[in-house]
Amino acid sequence: GNSVTQMEGPVTLSEEAFLTINCTYTATGYPSLFWYVQYPGEGLQLLLKATKADDKGSNKGFEATYRKETTSFHLEKGSVQVSDSAVYFCALNSGSEKLVFGKGTKLTVNP
Amino acid sequence: DTAVSQTPKYLVTQMGNDKSIKCEQNLGHDTMYWYKQDSKKFLKIMFSYNNKELIINETVPNRFSPKSPDKAHLNLHINSLELGDSAVYFCASSRGQGNGNTIYFGEGSWLTVV
């Protein structure tokens, strides 16, 4: 079945540090890949997405590239801010009308 | 303008009670969903509807009954609430079928069963 594996958290960084959150997937066919973010006490927001191999999704300084050869969609940001503290979810949709989520990675950015 | 709105945002209730969570989307989407987020933040789909028809039912107990009066609304009714039902329930919607469609989530309903 389809599945998403993302790095275990929590991740704690200092402001302006480089962020990578690893995400790999297993899927049949050609899924679309997503990163969602959940700020404390809030709902899920779409951060970025990519729908085919080699696509790069980007938003708010975050980037992720759809790598079919390594079945990965790692999230990166060059310089994190305190306001980026949240839980980040990698997800895939393989056309079965549902998102399959990873377990989430909690990021804390300290000033 | 809120795209996917759900009410109530917080709900505390006793075991055995029946409760409902309402959801509405104003995006003109055809497909709506309910997801459950457990205490470890794990998210899993419960149901999806396309144009008021049930598409996905992920082995959710019969105590959970979704109802879609029209394609802009998908309500979740829960009978005989149990402690293990405590979770955050997210309503969501998407334009339709196809894996490239973005799914938009509501702000969640925090249910606590005591």
Side-chain angles (χ1 to χ4, degrees):
Chain A
N2 299 332
S3 66
V4 174
T5 302
Q6 57 183 110
M7 62 187 286
E8 295 278 336
V11 174
T12 303
L13 296 172
S14 297
E15 212 165 18
E16 300 183 3
F18 185 85
L19 169 71
T20 300
I21 301 178
N22 289 339
C23 172
T24 57
Y25 67 90
T26 302
T28 54
Y30 302 96
S32 291
L33 302 173
F34 303 82
W35 278 99
Y36 282 84
V37 58
Q38 185 176 25
Y39 297 102
E42 297 186 14
L44 286 163
Q45 301 176 26
L46 176 69
L47 183 58
L48 53 86
K49 75 175 190 181
T51 58
K52 62 183 188 297
D54 300 325
D55 269 1
K56 178 187 283 188
S58 61
N59 185 25
K60 299 182 181 179
F62 291 89
E63 291 183 342
T65 301
Y66 188 161
R67 301 283 188 205
K68 194 169 188 301
E69 63 276 15
T70 54
T71 60
S72 65
F73 193 54
H74 305 320
L75 182 68
E76 296 183 337
K77 186 174 184 181
S79 176
V80 292
Q81 306 300 312
V82 172
S83 57
D84 294 327
S85 298
V87 181
Y88 292 82
F89 294 92
C90 186
L92 72 81
N93 186 340
S94 64
S96 61
E97 300 316 307
K98 63 181 181 181
L99 279 174
V100 175
F101 284 91
K103 291 187 176 180
T105 303
K106 183 176 181 180
L107 169 67
T108 301
V109 180
N110 295 318
Chain B
D1 287 344
T2 303
V4 182
S5 59
Q6 51 184 112
T7 56
K9 182 163 185 176
Y10 300 103
L11 182 56
V12 180
T13 188
Q14 291 188 325
M15 273 174 41
N17 283 350
D18 303 338
K19 290 294 178 187
S20 292
I21 307 172
K22 295 185 177 181
C23 179
E24 175 181 6
Q25 54 94 5
N26 63 5
L27 296 166
H29 288 167
D30 292 327
T31 306
M32 295 187 71
Y33 313 80
W34 279 106
Y35 280 79
K36 179 180 179 180
Q37 185 176 44
D38 63 22
S39 59
K40 295 184 179 178
K41 298 285 190 182
F42 187 60
L43 280 151
K44 188 173 180 186
I45 191 167
M46 300 172 68
F47 303 101
S48 85
Y49 273 70
N50 183 266
N51 276 319
K52 303 193 298 176
E53 288 191 25
L54 179 66
I55 303 296
I56 294 174
N57 180 341
E58 287 282 304
T59 60
V60 176
N62 291 338
R63 298 182 295 103
F64 291 79
S65 53
K67 285 192 171 45
S68 182
D70 55 63
K71 73 174 191 176
H73 295 83
L74 180 62
N75 303 323
L76 183 65
H77 188 75
I78 315 170
N79 289 327
S80 303
L81 278 155
E82 301 177 357
L83 293 176
D85 297 331
S86 295
V88 185
Y89 293 86
F90 286 101
C91 180
S93 74
S94 65
R95 186 183 303 275
Q97 302 180 21
N99 67 8
N101 282 301
T102 299
I103 297 179
Y104 296 90
F105 287 81
E107 294 192 344
S109 294
W110 272 253
L111 172 65
T112 303
V113 182
V114 297

